[in-house]
Structures are given as structure tokens and as C-alpha cells.
Amino acid sequence: MNAVFPGSFDPITSGHMDVLTRAAKIFDHVTLTVMHNARKQGRHLFTLEERMDILREATTHLPNVRVDTFGGLLVDYMARQEPGSVILRGLRAVSDYEYELQIAHLNRQIGDAETVFIMAATRWSFVSSSMVREIASYGGDVSEMVPRASAAALRRKHADVYAEREAEKEEQKQAQQREQPGR
Ligand code: PNS
């Protein structure tokens, strides 16, 4: 049995990686498909190509995972590209469930597509791509919340902010050393 894990992945987080890694042990093949979310129109940080590059880099160690993209309805993708596969989605908390339940029912109604859920480990329950983007936009440390490929891409995207924050930290350190030379 194969699975399709669709999402915006802007960028992929450790929560996504947790769900994907566990799914890769359950299913023969998992396709990570970058799709368009109408609710997030025009609000992407990374281009489609950048998101796909990050996904490829983050999944090189998972031989049964491939990366793809599709611009239309998920059920059309399932029927045309992945007949017989199930849709895989991750759940972090009860708050995800309401939205996911609606979409799973709709996808079954309009395309007879089955959805399987994997619960993300509780340590990732507070991690979302949008929060990660926000923290990174201020030069904050997101290295625990995303795979290395995402962290590197976020640093490149906000290189000036990170450089400024690191310079400030270095300045603070030097000021402290001047005030307390023995420490
Ligand atoms: O990571 P996201 O943004 O929560 O993923 C949502 C996504 C992209 C899977 C969903 O918006 C989607 O399936 N988009 C494709 C268009 C579609 O089929 N829409 C109908 C179901 S909402």
C-alpha cells in the first residue's frame, strides 16, 4: 500500500518529518506532494521549487519517499498519479481534527479517496510552518523545530536578519566581558 502526504510544506517541519518517517515504515512508498492551499494564497515564504528542493534534501535518507507537486484538486492527483494510494495527513492536536475531518469527508465524497491519519509526537504539537516562519523572520533559533534543510533555507532567506542578530549578541558578549573582565 502506498500513501500520498500532501501539504504546503512552507517549509517542512520536524512534526511533518515525524509523521513522514513513521509512515515510511508502514507504507511501501510515500509521495510527498507539494500542493496549493487556497487559504494560504500569496502567503508563501518559499517558492514551489524551493519547497521541493528542501523536501528532497530532508528526505534523502528515506529511500521509499519521493517528492512531487500538483496544481489541482488532490482527488484528481490521487486518481491520475496515485490510483490505489491513500491520503496521509498528520494530526498535532484536537484543533487540527475539525479541519482535517471536513477535508477527509469531502475528498471521499468528491473523489472516493481514503485518508489515513498519523498523530504527530506530542513534542511537535506546538510546531507549525507558520510559527517557524515567524520566528525565523526575526532571526530566532528554529533548529529544533525543523529539519536541517529547512533551517538552512530559512537562514539563507533571512540572512541579513540572522547576521544582525548575531552581531548584536557578539556586541553584548563583548560589553559583558569589558564590564566583568575575569568572567
Ligand atoms: O499543509 P496544508 O496547507 O495544511 O495542506 C493543505 C492541502 C494543500 C493538502 C489542501 O489545501 C489541498 O488538498 N489542496 C489541494 C486542492 C484541493 O484538493 N482542495 C480540496 C480539499 S481542501
Side-chain angles (χ1 to χ4, degrees), residues 6-9 16 33-40 70-75 89 99-100 103 106-107 110:
S8 307
F9 303 116
H16 291 130
T33 308
V34 185
M35 302 210 58
H36 184 72
N37 182 340
R39 304 192 333 165
K40 298 178 180 169
F70 188 73
L73 276 178
L74 178 55
V75 289
R89 291 284 285 173
Y99 171 68
E100 295 295 339
I103 296 188
L106 285 172
N107 282 333
I110 63 173

Side-chain angles (χ1 to χ4, degrees), residues 1 16 20 27 38 46 50 52 90 103 119 148 151 156 169 179:
M1 172 70 69
H16 291 130
L20 175 68
F27 295 100
F46 293 103
E50 285 172 330
M52 290 183 74
I103 296 188
M119 268 51 80
R148 251 196 292 244
R156 281 196 298 274
K169 272 196 208 157
E179 279 165 27

Side-chain angles (χ1 to χ4, degrees), residues 30-31 34 36-38 43-44 47-48 60 62 66-67 82 86 88 92 97 101 107 125-127 130 132 137 151 172:
V30 181
T31 308
V34 185
H36 184 72
N37 182 340
R43 292 194 285 127
H44 290 127
T47 64
L48 183 66
T60 45
L62 298 169
R66 72 180 187 101
V67 176
E82 296 265 354
V86 294
L88 166 73
R92 287 166 301 189
Y97 180 70
L101 180 73
N107 282 333
S125 61
F126 58 91
V127 173
S130 60
V132 162
S137 74
Q172 276 172 3

